[in-house]
Amino acid sequence: MSAPTQKPRIELAPWQFECGGIVLGHGTPIPVGNIEGLGSPTVRAQDVDNPVGDGTFPGQDFYGPRTVRIEAGIKTPGDPAKAADLLARLQRALDDPAARTEPEGRAVLRGRWPGHEVRRLYGRLRRMEATSTATAVHGWIPLDIEFAALDPRWHADEASHLQLSLDQAPVRRSVTAPLGAPARCGSADPAQRPGWITNHGYTSAWPTLRIHGPVARPRIWNTVTGRVLELTTTLRDAEWIEIQTRPGTCWALRNGTVNAAGDLTPFSRIDLFTIPPGRSEIGWSGEDPTRTCRLEVSWRSAYTAL
């Protein structure tokens, strides 16, 4: 799957939000009155009723989607035409086919809290309703906006990147897969360990990995989590495989079109290959006599709050 064309990032000030290219909040023509959903996301409790007595047996608690509801209003005093144009732009953001009809489609809600950098949610824009048009003639249209973040985590707005050639890869450990307890790496100067990566957030982040050939049997691992991804395939020069690990969009594609998930070994779990909070190290190995192959890793630090 080819990457979409990147649009210029819109800068946000504190107390501002952006979705579909429209900025809402402090200092904009769309002031925000109240926001719900910035606390803990909904919980999907897995408790089981006691079949022979009172109470329940506790199960695992998983997070469901984070629903962010924004009460706002278009405010363009004396200019109803401008208010109508802003409402139409917001409705077009809701109607974006790429985010609405494709299974892997996601809309993005960006926001900035005082003292923090801009962070983002991935999900679907589910409601963009003008709750009244009685005052539209005066340039005032109250709005009810609902964004369902299918991934409840907040992510850094700016992605981090790492590129490794084979001669930069850390020394391969003598380990077997699947790994159990985290493999600890010794202390070293980060300048001498080009595989160091940092997740500045509070929860695990989901990387995107792209392997560029020529290389045979590429193998990628994280020295802190112990997780490994290994492919039983050979890439020629100018060929590549991209692995996406984010929930809801887990896939491995060869040259952007061919499903390569079948080339992963049985212990290679895309859905568990995460970057833990703090610093960890990415290593990789493969067979390439030309020493020209490379691994590209990109990720966004993940947070539990805006």
Side-chain angles (χ1 to χ4, degrees), residues 163-208:
Q163 180 170 294
L164 286 174
S165 58
L166 279 182
D167 58 359
Q168 291 180 301
V171 177
R172 181 171 175 173
R173 276 65 171 170
S174 297
V175 294
T176 57
L179 302 181
R184 302 296 180 183
C185 51
S187 60
D189 181 359
Q192 305 301 319
R193 303 280 287 271
W196 282 122
I197 58 176
T198 302
N199 173 5
H200 296 281
Y202 322 124
T203 188
S204 296
W206 304 96
T208 297

Side-chain angles (χ1 to χ4, degrees), residues 26-63:
H26 182 71
T28 75
I30 311 177
V32 172
N34 187 49
I35 304 176
E36 300 175 2
L38 298 185
S40 298
T42 57
V43 173
R44 294 188 289 109
Q46 305 296 304
D47 300 341
V48 178
D49 290 340
N50 183 351
V52 294
D54 298 331
T56 60
F57 297 114
Q60 292 179 293
D61 284 355
F62 296 104
Y63 287 134

Side-chain angles (χ1 to χ4, degrees), residues 11 69-70 81 133 151 154 220 240-241 244 247 262 265 272 294:
E11 297 296 328
R69 185 173 179 180
I70 302 175
T133 57
D151 178 357
W154 292 89
I220 308 167
W240 49 272
I241 285 180
Q244 174 62 259
T265 56
L272 297 179
R294 68 185 188 277

Side-chain angles (χ1 to χ4, degrees), residues 214-244:
V215 65
R217 297 190 62 86
R219 185 176 188 270
I220 308 167
W221 66 90
N222 185 297
T223 59
V224 170
T225 66
R227 291 292 174 182
V228 176
L229 295 177
E230 185 173 14
L231 295 118
T232 59
T233 189
T234 298
L235 294 174
R236 295 187 293 269
D237 186 28
E239 289 190 323
W240 49 272
I241 285 180
E242 182 168 290
I243 302 173
Q244 174 62 259

Side-chain angles (χ1 to χ4, degrees), residues 3-215:
T5 303
Q6 296 294 321
K7 298 179 180 179
R9 184 182 293 109
I10 299 174
E11 297 296 328
L12 298 181
W15 308 109
Q16 289 185 346
F17 292 83
E18 181 264 327
C19 189
I22 312 298
V23 180
L24 303 80
H26 182 71
T28 75
I30 311 177
V32 172
N34 187 49
I35 304 176
E36 300 175 2
L38 298 185
S40 298
T42 57
V43 173
R44 294 188 289 109
Q46 305 296 304
D47 300 341
V48 178
D49 290 340
N50 183 351
V52 294
D54 298 331
T56 60
F57 297 114
Q60 292 179 293
D61 284 355
F62 296 104
Y63 287 134
R66 179 191 295 275
T67 301
V68 178
R69 185 173 179 180
I70 302 175
E71 295 179 8
I74 299 173
K75 189 176 182 180
T76 57
D79 194 346
K82 183 178 180 180
D85 179 65
L86 285 172
L87 178 59
R89 291 176 62 192
L90 288 167
Q91 290 171 332
R92 286 199 298 273
L94 177 67
D95 193 48
D96 181 7
R100 182 173 58 87
T101 62
E102 299 294 332
E104 71 277 6
R106 298 291 186 271
V108 176
L109 175 66
R110 304 167 64 236
R112 185 176 179 187
W113 221 232
H116 292 175
E117 297 298 321
V118 177
R119 295 174 186 172
R120 57 171 57 193
L121 291 171
Y122 292 95
R124 294 287 177 89
L125 187 60
R126 291 277 162 78
R127 180 176 171 85
M128 182 70 67
E129 180 64 29
T131 56
S132 174
T133 57
T135 55
V137 67
H138 304 296
W140 168 253
I141 304 176
L143 299 172
D144 185 5
I145 303 169
E146 187 175 292
F147 187 92
L150 307 180
D151 178 357
R153 301 169 185 82
W154 292 89
H155 299 270
D157 193 46
E158 187 170 350
S160 299
H161 302 275
L162 170 72
Q163 180 170 294
L164 286 174
S165 58
L166 279 182
D167 58 359
Q168 291 180 301
V171 177
R172 181 171 175 173
R173 276 65 171 170
S174 297
V175 294
T176 57
L179 302 181
R184 302 296 180 183
C185 51
S187 60
D189 181 359
Q192 305 301 319
R193 303 280 287 271
W196 282 122
I197 58 176
T198 302
N199 173 5
H200 296 281
Y202 322 124
T203 188
S204 296
W206 304 96
T208 297
L209 308 143
R210 180 176 285 205
I211 306 165
H212 293 267
V215 65

